[in-house]
Amino acid sequence: MSRKLAGSAIAGALGLLVAFAPAPRHALGRDGGPKITERPQISGTAETGWTLTATRGRWQGNPPPTPTYQWLRCSGSSPGTCGNIAGANGLSYAPSAEDVGLRLR
């Protein structure tokens, strides 16, 4: 039996925390980080027993940045209520019973 997660947590409010290793200053975007040319997108069913999948997105920099990914579990709507989901650092994540009633990013 699958259980739905909180509200529209998955249906459009999802995002991934994407991090980059430090790059030479000349390679960075205007704000000091790599420039995104295509945002990662998340698809799938936000229920236990299903899998959410993200695209890699596209990033620009010299040298090209190598992103890492981290799924977050949030107890509220603000990012300040989020914590890393242990071991959930790939492009897919299968929501578990621990996620029921919470928001994912």
Side-chain angles (χ1 to χ4, degrees), residues 10 42-54 71 91-95:
I10 306 304
I42 298 171
S43 62
T45 301
E47 294 182 15
T48 56
W50 293 84
T51 300
L52 299 169
T53 304
W71 292 83
L91 291 174
S92 62
Y93 177 68

Side-chain angles (χ1 to χ4, degrees), residues 35-95:
K35 181 180 177 185
I36 187 168
T37 58
E38 182 182 314
R39 292 189 181 280
Q41 300 293 313
I42 298 171
S43 62
T45 301
E47 294 182 15
T48 56
W50 293 84
T51 300
L52 299 169
T53 304
T55 62
R56 293 186 183 281
R58 293 186 186 201
W59 313 88
Q60 197 172 35
N62 185 12
T66 303
T68 58
Y69 302 88
Q70 177 65 57
W71 292 83
L72 306 173
R73 183 181 294 125
C74 308
S75 59
S77 60
S78 104
T81 66
C82 302
N84 291 352
I85 300 173
N89 53 11
L91 291 174
S92 62
Y93 177 68

